[in-house]
Amino acid sequence: MRVTTSDIRKMKAEGKRFAALTAYDAVTAKILDDVGIPLLLVGDSLGMVVLGYENTIPVTLDDILYHTRAVARGSHRALIVADMPFMTYQRSIDQALENAGRCIQEGGAQAVKLEGGRVMAETITRLVAVGIPVLGHIGLTPQSVHQLGGFKVQGKTLEAARRLVDDAHAVESSGAFAIVLECIPAEIARLITERLAIPTLGIGAGPFCDAEIQVSSDVLGWLSDFTPKHTRPYAKLAETAASAFRQFQDDVATRSFPTEKESFSVSGDIVAKLQKELASTS
Ligand code: KIV
């Protein structure tokens, strides 16, 4: 049985802190499922950590649908949340309904995530009303990177912190089952977490949230060029991969791969007959 949004809400009620991670492919989704991660986000971060874009803006609905289908094939237990890309839900409530519907129907997700607080309240209300669970997302909302002037910590002034609290309440009142708090001061995340009944999933929001969500590639040390302050690499996969590829390259150059062990063979009799045939025709 898959984890449901009610299970996620219940974890807060029962004081159970949990970890959530992004997934973009079936193989990773299976590993995360086996580990018991209850919520997999097919994040639009895929633009940056898989597709090589500078930010999440170029990610399309087709990208998210493609990767959500892969995650759905690999995972049978976790709740799968599809991240709605830039301008696939902001234009109108109808647009949001249509595209969120596609994430559920064609992608195989059980919920969608969208960025924005009060400005998205009506949209969240409508999605929830038609049966599409929503994960909210406030604080540093990467789809607004140009408006925010970069990937900056949000809520550092009294006014900005007040706005965050209001946004969090608006997302909860609209019916979201949980909310992501990205890159905000730990003290503000704590105040929000204490005031909401729905779980807060922090990323760069300190230790007081109900859950922590991270980008899998950061946890794995898969991207060698940049480690954001709010992440902790639990492995050095980029180094491991580079060393494996280097060794493979050397082994091929020096003829130590492939050897007999990695080869297939046929009986000497067949080879001898073939050689004879080839000699007679040349
Ligand atoms: O796209 C993403 O991976 C996200 C997480 C950072 C929460 O939105």
Side-chain angles (χ1 to χ4, degrees):
M1 264 270 292
R2 266 198 200 278
V3 174
T4 63
T5 54
S6 316
D7 296 329
I8 298 290
R9 291 183 71 139
K10 211 159 87 194
M11 284 198 249
K12 172 156 185 162
E14 292 173 353
K16 279 190 200 149
R17 192 165 149 78
F18 63 94
L21 280 160
T22 61
Y24 316 103
D25 64 83
V27 176
T28 312
K30 182 179 182 322
I31 297 172
L32 293 170
D33 235 30
D34 292 346
V35 165
I37 300 291
L39 185 153
L40 304 185
L41 171 68
V42 186
D44 62 357
S45 51
L46 90 89
M48 298 169 82
V49 303
V50 177
L51 303 178
Y53 296 127
E54 252 178 46
N55 54 48
T56 60
I57 306 267
V59 175
T60 64
L61 188 67
D62 281 344
D63 292 332
I64 289 291
L65 289 175
Y66 178 86
H67 287 273
T68 303
R69 282 195 288 267
V71 169
R73 286 192 292 271
S75 139
H76 302 283
R77 185 185 161 276
L79 179 83
I80 302 171
V81 182
D83 206 1
M84 298 195 67
F86 181 61
M87 278 302 140
T88 65
Y89 58 97
Q90 291 95 335
R91 205 167 289 140
S92 67
I93 291 179
D94 275 351
Q95 185 205 25
L97 286 170
E98 180 172 341
N99 291 332
R102 290 189 66 193
C103 290
I104 306 290
Q105 201 167 32
E106 297 173 36
Q110 288 82 49
V112 298
K113 176 170 85 58
L114 49 84
E115 296 182 4
R118 282 159 295 171
V119 69
M120 280 298 137
E122 254 187 89
T123 303
I124 297 173
T125 303
R126 281 289 285 143
L127 290 172
V128 173
V130 300
I132 299 178
V134 176
L135 173 61
H137 184 165
I138 63 167
L140 170 53
T141 44
Q143 290 171 18
S144 306
V145 62
H146 300 311
Q147 177 73 19
L148 300 174
F151 295 104
K152 292 179 181 163
V153 175
Q154 301 297 302
K156 286 172 78 172
T157 65
L158 178 59
E159 194 44 46
R162 272 197 202 114
R163 280 200 300 270
L164 279 179
V165 174
D166 290 347
D167 281 337
H169 279 299
V171 168
E172 174 168 72
S173 310
S174 307
F177 70 91
I179 184 167
V180 172
L181 306 180
E182 179 164 355
C183 289
I184 66 171
E187 301 83 352
I188 309 300
R190 179 181 212 161
L191 289 173
I192 292 173
T193 300
E194 285 167 358
R195 275 157 183 74
L196 297 191
I198 58 171
T200 56
L201 281 65
I203 172 165
F208 308 114
C209 293
D210 299 304
E212 178 71 12
I213 184 161
Q214 286 278 331
V215 172
S216 298
S217 326
D218 291 332
V219 170
L220 294 173
W222 186 226
L223 306 168
S224 50
D225 43 355
F226 176 60
T227 308
K229 173 175 160 60
H230 63 271
T231 68
R232 183 186 294 171
Y234 287 82
K236 293 182 175 173
L237 282 205
E239 275 177 34
T240 307
S243 146
F245 294 146
R246 211 170 287 121
Q247 186 66 52
F248 166 71
Q249 188 179 37
D250 289 351
D251 285 357
V252 169
T254 57
R255 293 189 182 278
S256 41
F257 180 85
T259 62
E260 203 183 322
K261 183 168 167 265
E262 294 98 2
S263 305
F264 307 97
S265 70
V266 71
S267 84
D269 196 30
I270 291 176
V271 180
K273 281 185 184 150
L274 183 62
Q275 273 175 331
K276 211 166 146 195
E277 267 176 37
L278 293 172
S280 68
T281 55
S282 60

